[in-house]
Amino acid sequence: MANVLGAHDLNFKETELCLGLPGGVGGNEVDSSQKTTGKRSFSETVYLKLNLQAKETGMDLNKNLENGSKEKPVSTKDPAKPLAKAQVVGWPPVRSYRKNVMAGNKNTGEENEKASSAVFVKVSMDGAPYLRKVDLKMYKSYQELSDALAKMFSSFTMGNYGSQGMIDFMNESKLMDLLNSSDYMPTYEDEDGDWMLVGDVPWQMFVDSCKRLRIMKGSEAIGLAPKAMEKCKSRG
Amino acid sequence: MQKKMMYSFPDDVLEHVFSFIQSDKDRNAVSAVCKLWYEIERWCRRKVFIGNCYAVSPRVVIKRFPEVRSIELKGKPHFADFNLVPDGWGGYVLPWIVEMAGAYPCLEEIRLKRMVVTDESLELIAKSFKNFKVLVLFSCEGFSTDGLAAIAAGCKNLRELDLRESEVDDLSGHWLTHFPETCTSLVSLNISCLGSDEVSFSALERLVGRCPNLKSLRLNRAVTLDKIANILRRAPQLVDFGTGNYASELPPDVLLNLAGAFSSCKELKSLSGFWDVVPAYLPALYSVCSRLTSLNLSYATIQNPEIIKLVSRCPSLQRLLVLDYIEDSGLEALASSCKDLQELRVFPSDPFGGEPHVSLTEQGLVTVSLGCPKLQSILYFCHRMTNAALVTIAQSCPNLTRFRLCIIEPKTADYLTLEPLDVGFGAIVEHCKDLRRLSLSGLLTDRVFEYIGTYAKKLEMLSVAFAGDSDLGLHHVLFGCESLRKLEIRDCPFGDKALLANAAKLETMRSLWMSSCTVSFGACKLLGQKMPRLNVEVIDETEPPDSRPESCPVEKFYIYRSVSGPRFDKPPFVWTMDEEGKIMH
């Protein structure tokens, strides 16, 4: 097959193409911060959000993969720590249609319940010019949702959700620290039409009542805090 | 100088001859013979297939083929099925419907796959095409039951309405009542994707009762077991039936009634559905099992021995879709009972669970391949594999045309030898000379791509994930696979070199998708500049790609050939690289 551009035509110096290997940085890159290289090698998609945990536990999960280690990542059985392996987007390649149906199958025996199709909610982020949709049934915890949102809107990070995955609303100063620490805060519209801070109720309750997600600037989300605490108190 | 060939025929004779030529490939060949044949052929082409709706504009199609009766369009890239293509990417059918409404008043058939279809589009279809007969919406989205009501009410001669696996907004359950009492033409109705409460059952019953030619009926989950017998008794001529909800706690005589209803369907050859199946009701099917050629249990959470009991009664089975609950033991039963098996798909019951909880291994697939030499199509999800198993499968099933293996954990090696699975997949492409479609998984080096480039000469579609070591891998495929039309790659260390060196190859293909690889923005720009007949679309959801150095890898890109230039309906996160090296937005 004749090649139009031909190997000879490609003077790599002229076109300044970077042929860096994954996991490493090409020779002519100055800024090697994760954002500008935009690398998305397998090791990074999986461990994007877990660098925090890795640092805490002193493990360097990325290094393991780059060394071509065939070991499976360590999955902690400690329920207080999330599993070391996050879900890779679109893998294994199971179609959403099938995922929705299978999710519904897990609820057999409840005859009169409404169809357990996926719970798709729109997600918007302040400043981002596009909307995404997520299926809340795909996740089992706030941490998983956080990881997925982080991948979709990778310029935002969510705060530390604590061991139960919920925000401690009873502690006002803790809450304020959280809001002041992150750039963005996920909020959601519940079945009453109120905008609440994500993480105020147990996960399943959240899935059942969430109608929409909006990732707000932390400074704006602070305005929701008093209402959130009030609702939390009234629930007892 | 005009030469009148001694053996030329009058135009209408030629046209009559051409009417026997159905395949697009042959039609295209005919039209290339000479100007006269081109002209005659284009006026009598009735069926058009457009594999990528952005490869050509509706106006260009209409101009060339003015008398089309049937059109098939595909929109989003295949990886959209796995959430890799962001919402709003495109694939809108409305512009096509608008143009065809004016140009093709006699249009009868529209088949769409992975496209965005709005209620407005459906209403326009119902209004514009007086003799409309067939609507197939495969994996589409964007419409509601309102649009379906318009189709039901407006298309007086509707024969086929097939919504397979589409996403439909539930607004009202009564759209079925919009089929007029005079509608008796239905041959095929597939509403299996509709959620609960979206079907008016009495309207459905009446509709089924008055359509004597109904051959294929696939119900949705809302239709409960007790209603199925009534439906079947009204349509004993059914060839293909999709049950609704197969769960119940009903009195025992219902089971007898159901068994009777099934046995009255003497033509029934294909079954699907089985949501929430309760094993106690499976014996109702036994009377039809011996005639079954196709069985889709892939949404049924039954386990062994029920699966084995069912499958062992189906000696005529050619197609089986099932969950991994079948396990190796069930596949063994399948191998000994179903010697005519041509297609097998085994889906994961718990794809994200991590540890396997069913005993389904490479052994099951080996057993089936040994027992069923007529196998042509395999889709298999499992947790482990060996090269030896793949070699056996390859040698036992030389007629394979589609082989898709998904080892759930990426980069899993041969679990016995700990080697990559290059040799195994190499055997597949070497022995299965008619292989058209291949999906790879497991630990794979550049070597597997060398095998593919060397042997897979008929390969048309290749899906690659977490494989390869270097650009050489991609080069082998682009250079060697002569019949390649669609290539989709994710999370592989393939960069600029192979892509740019094989740029001309891309014009011979329908499309190339690459995501999470190491192709740089600069390379995409270069391709866009040098290859005007390619649309090079970079997908970046965070910021414009030119806000970073050109050497930075792009997150995702999609390249496809097109005669109509860049598209105008791009969302904010898609950038086209154009001829002047600008990024268009």
Side-chain angles (χ1 to χ4, degrees):
Chain A
M1 175 82 43
N3 71 72
V4 166
L5 293 176
H8 321 289
D9 293 344
L10 292 175
N11 184 330
F12 292 126
K13 280 211 184 88
E14 266 174 25
T15 53
E16 288 190 304
L17 297 169
C18 162
L19 297 177
L21 294 169
V25 171
N28 42 353
E29 270 165 56
V30 173
D31 188 350
S32 58
S33 74
Q34 190 159 329
K35 192 162 173 209
T36 52
T37 58
K39 295 197 302 281
R40 296 281 191 278
S41 61
F42 168 58
S43 56
E44 294 200 8
T45 45
V46 173
Y47 295 103
L48 186 66
K49 288 305 296 166
L50 296 173
N51 281 324
L52 298 168
Q53 274 84 31
K55 282 185 192 123
E56 283 165 15
T57 59
M59 288 194 299
D60 189 345
L61 296 168
N62 277 335
K63 240 214 176 91
N64 268 343
L65 273 178
E66 279 169 20
N67 291 340
S69 156
K70 290 191 184 99
E71 290 170 52
K72 280 197 173 186
V74 175
S75 65
T76 64
K77 300 281 188 227
D78 184 349
K81 293 202 180 91
L83 289 176
K85 199 147 75 67
Q87 200 176 312
V88 178
V89 173
W91 190 267
V94 176
R95 302 187 49 202
S96 335
Y97 179 77
R98 172 166 294 281
K99 270 190 273 194
N100 298 344
V101 174
M102 295 315 293
N105 276 350
K106 293 206 162 85
N107 297 330
T108 49
E110 291 157 58
E111 281 191 274
N112 291 323
E113 59 150 0
K114 55 182 196 254
S116 310
S117 50
V119 178
F120 276 102
V121 295
K122 295 201 171 127
V123 188
S124 62
M125 174 165 147
D126 288 1
Y130 50 88
L131 280 186
R132 292 299 301 272
K133 272 201 296 201
V134 287
D135 171 11
L136 292 179
K137 290 243 161 124
M138 265 186 67
Y139 313 105
K140 297 195 203 74
S141 68
Y142 283 115
Q143 190 60 50
E144 284 184 25
L145 175 64
S146 160
D147 294 345
L149 290 179
K151 264 177 251 159
M152 273 182 226
F153 299 99
S154 49
S155 54
F156 106 99
T157 50
M158 274 161 68
N160 190 348
Y161 269 98
S163 62
Q164 299 307 313
M166 283 168 59
I167 298 176
D168 186 359
F169 279 85
M170 302 312 283
N171 185 332
E172 186 170 344
S173 62
K174 231 181 172 181
L175 179 61
M176 286 309 160
D177 282 346
L178 181 62
L179 289 171
N180 286 322
S181 68
S182 14
D183 291 337
Y184 288 94
M185 195 67 193
T187 63
Y188 72 103
E189 184 181 357
D190 71 4
E191 64 227 329
D192 300 331
D194 295 325
W195 283 92
M196 312 296 293
L197 292 172
V198 167
D200 59 341
V201 296
W203 172 253
Q204 193 51 51
M205 206 186 285
F206 165 70
V207 172
D208 290 338
S209 63
C210 172
K211 294 273 165 287
R212 257 183 13 147
L213 280 166
R214 181 177 155 203
I215 303 172
M216 268 187 211
K217 292 218 157 71
S219 45
E220 277 185 54
I222 284 181
L224 295 180
K227 204 204 300 181
M229 290 179 61
E230 206 184 287
K231 230 176 175 175
C232 193
K233 281 183 189 131
S234 70
R235 281 199 199 96
Chain B
M1 176 171 60
Q2 270 193 332
K3 271 191 186 168
K4 189 102 177 157
M5 307 268 213
M6 294 291 287
Y7 46 85
S8 70
F9 295 111
D11 290 1
D12 44 354
V13 173
L14 276 175
E15 195 179 317
H16 184 68
V17 171
F18 293 170
S19 70
F20 292 102
I21 300 170
Q22 302 293 344
S23 94
D24 282 339
K25 216 170 141 212
D26 293 341
R27 280 249 168 194
N28 291 343
V30 159
S31 64
V33 166
C34 64
K35 277 197 177 145
L36 176 68
W37 283 35
Y38 177 91
E39 274 303 306
I40 295 173
E41 194 282 318
R42 79 181 186 89
W43 279 94
C44 69
R45 191 170 311 203
R46 297 280 174 263
K47 232 177 141 171
V48 176
F49 167 77
I50 293 160
N52 173 7
C53 63
Y54 292 119
V56 63
S57 72
R59 291 220 179 135
V60 168
V61 175
I62 289 168
K63 188 154 176 242
R64 178 165 173 197
F65 301 117
E67 301 276 326
V68 163
R69 301 273 156 86
S70 162
I71 189 160
E72 183 174 348
L73 290 165
K74 294 190 182 181
K76 298 184 208 172
H78 172 239
F79 272 176
D81 283 354
F82 315 126
N83 297 336
L84 288 174
V85 177
D87 289 331
W89 176 87
Y92 306 105
V93 80
L94 186 61
W96 286 86
I97 309 291
V98 167
E99 296 286 345
M100 293 192 301
Y104 295 153
C106 300
L107 191 71
E108 295 178 359
E109 305 182 354
I110 295 177
R111 293 177 172 83
L112 305 175
K113 187 170 184 182
R114 267 182 237 115
M115 292 197 76
V116 178
V117 182
T118 54
D119 286 343
E120 192 187 345
S121 308
L122 293 176
E123 282 151 18
L124 196 52
I125 290 172
K127 225 171 39 183
S128 315
F129 309 118
K130 294 300 158 209
N131 203 22
F132 195 70
K133 296 200 170 99
V134 172
L135 183 63
V136 177
L137 302 177
F138 190 167
S139 228
C140 295
E141 52 161 353
F143 60 102
S144 77
T145 43
D146 282 356
L148 295 179
I151 294 284
C155 302
K156 309 275 178 245
N157 294 314
L158 196 66
R159 278 211 313 246
E160 250 183 81
L161 179 60
D162 184 343
L163 307 174
R164 54 174 88 165
E165 298 178 33
S166 290
E167 220 179 279
V168 185
D169 275 337
D170 168 19
L171 294 180
S172 147
H174 298 297
W175 69 273
L176 265 176
T177 58
H178 288 255
F179 277 108
E181 292 299 316
T182 48
C183 172
T184 57
S185 50
L186 273 183
V187 172
S188 169
L189 180 63
N190 179 350
I191 52 172
S192 52
C193 63
L194 295 184
S196 265
D197 305 330
E198 282 178 3
V199 165
S200 160
F201 189 73
S202 52
L204 176 64
E205 260 190 326
R206 285 197 310 274
L207 181 62
V208 167
R210 63 177 184 267
C211 292
N213 297 319
L214 191 67
K215 292 277 187 295
S216 169
L217 177 65
R218 296 194 183 186
L219 303 172
N220 69 326
R221 217 164 173 168
V223 179
T224 50
L225 199 59
D226 52 325
K227 304 211 163 75
I228 287 179
N230 287 346
I231 290 269
L232 285 175
R233 289 201 193 278
R234 279 163 208 248
Q237 76 283 0
L238 280 177
V239 172
D240 166 45
F241 182 61
T243 74
N245 195 298
Y246 216 73
S248 241
E249 274 172 35
L250 295 169
D253 56 307
V254 173
L255 176 60
L256 268 174
N257 188 20
L258 191 59
F262 269 112
S263 65
S264 70
C265 296
K266 305 289 181 202
E267 310 293 322
L268 204 51
K269 291 206 170 55
S270 163
L271 283 177
S272 59
F274 298 110
W275 289 291
D276 309 312
V277 62
V278 164
Y281 292 97
L282 288 175
L285 303 172
Y286 286 173
S287 60
V288 301
C289 283
S290 61
R291 291 188 290 269
L292 280 186
T293 57
S294 170
L295 182 56
N296 184 349
L297 294 170
S298 66
Y299 298 109
T301 50
I302 47 169
Q303 322 220 358
N304 290 329
E306 277 75 30
I307 302 183
I308 294 181
K309 275 193 226 164
L310 199 52
V311 155
S312 313
R313 287 181 149 81
C314 303
S316 312
L317 209 57
Q318 292 171 16
R319 188 168 183 259
L320 176 66
L321 281 64
V322 71
L323 287 171
D324 55 9
Y325 291 129
I326 193 173
E327 297 191 328
D328 289 346
S329 55
L331 290 174
E332 205 179 312
L334 181 70
S336 54
S337 309
C338 307
K339 295 303 183 186
D340 285 340
L341 198 68
Q342 292 172 19
E343 178 174 357
L344 174 66
R345 297 195 194 194
V346 180
F347 294 95
S349 52
D350 188 13
F352 309 109
E355 294 308 309
H357 61 288
V358 289
S359 177
L360 180 100
T361 69
E362 81 285 4
Q363 200 44 55
L365 188 57
V366 168
T367 312
V368 177
S369 71
L370 288 168
C372 309
K374 292 188 192 170
L375 268 178
Q376 287 175 20
S377 172
I378 293 175
L379 169 63
Y380 200 74
F381 281 81
C382 60
H383 288 268
R384 67 181 209 200
M385 187 51 62
T386 64
N387 282 310
L390 285 170
V391 171
T392 307
I393 293 163
Q395 289 171 338
S396 311
C397 298
N399 296 321
L400 281 181
T401 55
R402 289 181 287 270
F403 187 72
R404 291 189 280 168
L405 179 67
C406 179
I407 306 170
I408 291 180
E409 178 67 29
K411 303 196 189 184
T412 304
D414 177 324
Y415 78 95
L416 289 177
T417 65
L418 299 184
E419 282 173 5
L421 292 171
D422 300 335
V423 166
F425 278 105
I428 295 278
V429 291
E430 190 184 344
H431 292 277
C432 307
K433 304 208 187 300
D434 291 324
L435 197 70
R436 290 197 313 262
R437 183 168 179 184
L438 178 64
S439 295
L440 304 173
S441 60
L443 183 66
L444 297 164
T445 71
D446 284 346
R447 248 181 112 202
V448 74
F449 299 108
E450 196 180 339
Y451 291 135
I452 292 173
T454 305
Y455 292 111
K457 295 306 181 187
K458 298 234 178 108
L459 192 67
E460 296 178 6
M461 181 170 178
L462 179 64
S463 307
V464 186
F466 306 109
D469 310 309
S470 76
D471 274 54
L472 202 54
L474 180 57
H475 174 74
H476 283 308
V477 170
L478 290 176
F479 190 76
C481 295
E482 291 161 4
S483 311
L484 196 64
R485 290 189 299 117
K486 288 179 283 184
L487 180 57
E488 46 186 26
I489 302 173
R490 61 165 296 176
D491 293 275
C492 296
F494 298 149
D496 300 339
K497 235 167 147 180
L499 194 61
L500 294 175
N502 291 285
K505 171 74 174 174
L506 298 178
E507 273 188 13
T508 69
M509 292 164 53
R510 183 189 298 172
S511 65
L512 166 67
W513 167 280
M514 286 180 76
S515 54
S516 306
C517 299
T518 50
V519 175
S520 72
F521 174 57
C524 290
K525 268 180 71 171
L526 194 59
L527 273 174
Q529 272 174 297
K530 300 277 184 185
M531 314 290 295
R533 285 189 299 240
L534 291 180
N535 281 354
V536 179
E537 293 182 3
V538 170
I539 296 171
D540 195 322
E541 295 179 83
T542 52
E543 57 195 352
D546 61 353
S547 63
R548 295 193 289 267
E550 286 206 356
S551 51
C552 282
V554 294
E555 182 193 325
K556 303 176 181 176
F557 69 84
Y558 186 54
I559 298 178
Y560 56 91
R561 65 180 175 186
S562 175
V563 297
S564 296
R567 57 186 176 114
F568 301 111
D569 59 0
K570 295 192 301 288
F573 51 82
V574 173
W575 280 269
T576 300
M577 314 288 111
D578 87 338
E579 281 156 52
E580 278 122 67
K582 292 206 291 277
I583 53 170
M584 277 172 49
H585 202 95

